[in-house]
Amino acid sequence: MILYKNKSAFTLIELVVWITILWILAFSVANIDFNRLSNKQKLDIFANKIKTSYETIRNNALSWKWIWTDLTVPSKWAISFSKTNSWTISWEAYDKDNNIIDRSILLVPNSFEINSIKCWEYWEDKSSYWDMTSTWTIEFSWINLKLDINSDLNCNQDKDKVLEITVKNKVENKVITINTLNWLVNISK
């Protein structure tokens, strides 16, 4: 009669190999940086900063938001997208004499660029874009919305009502469309 031995335990070598594998896995997981953001996530964050800046100015104008401790209510708010000032986005609050009483600037990070700013009429086909060459300003005076194009020959401030900003990094890009007829902002690829 032949008896078979039943092996139910690890040998010492097998046990050392498994402990080594577990230590290697634990060490590699401990070195993973879960806080690092991908380029796509960083671009999403920057595009949302632009959208949030526009919506903040719009909401401040609609709600007659006061600034400073003396409760000064600006007579108008403006947000400017400038191609000439190293790609800056700035917003200002003006008093009734058209003096700037508050200002903030959103600088474009080094790894990103605003590739283009285009304008067109609301009912036009997107193929008839006009690429801007200088600065586009959107002014809010409570419920009145005015587009002001600073010496730009390609855009007509009386007709063009849609502004498109293309933001890009190394491989990704986002298109931010501001419709000044209904005051909405859309971010797409």
Side-chain angles (χ1 to χ4, degrees):
M1 173 176 199
I2 301 176
L3 294 173
Y4 292 101
K5 283 189 170 182
N6 198 359
K7 281 181 143 185
S8 61
F10 288 108
T11 64
L12 185 59
I13 293 176
E14 290 174 333
L15 192 58
V16 169
V17 169
W18 277 109
I19 290 173
T20 306
I21 290 172
L22 290 175
W23 271 103
I24 291 171
L25 287 174
F27 184 70
S28 65
V29 168
N31 287 332
I32 294 176
D33 184 7
F34 292 106
N35 293 325
R36 185 176 34 182
L37 296 174
S38 69
N39 286 333
K40 184 179 185 314
Q41 290 170 324
K42 290 177 185 176
L43 185 62
D44 286 341
I45 290 169
F46 181 65
N48 283 325
K49 278 184 185 178
I50 294 173
K51 179 180 178 180
T52 302
S53 296
Y54 171 81
E55 290 174 341
T56 301
I57 298 302
R58 177 192 67 196
N59 295 341
N60 289 350
L62 286 172
S63 64
W64 288 4
K65 180 162 173 39
W66 54 270
I67 55 176
W68 302 110
T69 56
D70 62 355
L71 303 180
T72 303
V73 177
S75 63
K76 74 176 178 180
W77 295 81
I79 186 164
S80 299
F81 302 93
S82 176
K83 208 172 178 179
T84 56
N85 294 332
S86 303
W87 287 113
T88 57
I89 300 166
S90 63
W91 62 266
E92 297 91 18
Y94 295 90
D95 64 5
K96 61 184 176 192
D97 298 326
N98 219 19
N99 297 321
I100 296 175
I101 55 177
D102 196 12
R103 167 181 250 170
S104 179
I105 296 175
L106 175 65
L107 297 174
V108 178
N110 291 337
S111 57
F112 302 107
E113 67 179 31
I114 297 177
N115 193 27
S116 68
I117 301 178
K118 298 179 180 180
C119 57
W120 74 92
E121 293 183 49
Y122 182 71
W123 51 85
E124 281 183 331
D125 183 19
K126 289 186 178 183
S127 62
S128 56
Y129 286 148
W130 290 104
D131 198 6
M132 284 185 47
T133 57
S134 64
T135 302
W136 182 291
T137 302
I138 302 173
E139 293 181 357
F140 300 91
S141 297
W142 194 53
I143 60 170
N144 297 323
L145 180 65
K146 177 185 166 194
L147 301 175
D148 185 25
I149 301 143
N150 302 338
S151 67
D152 199 313
L153 301 174
N154 291 336
C155 293
N156 184 342
Q157 68 188 28
D158 296 326
K159 291 183 180 179
D160 295 336
K161 301 297 181 190
V162 179
L163 177 67
E164 180 182 278
I165 304 164
T166 304
V167 183
K168 67 183 248 179
N169 63 5
K170 298 173 187 169
V171 291
E172 302 276 333
N173 66 357
K174 292 281 182 186
V175 176
I176 304 166
T177 306
I178 300 174
N179 185 336
T180 59
L181 291 175
N182 59 13
W183 295 27
L184 296 179
V185 181
N186 185 28
I187 298 177
S188 60
K189 283 188 174 185

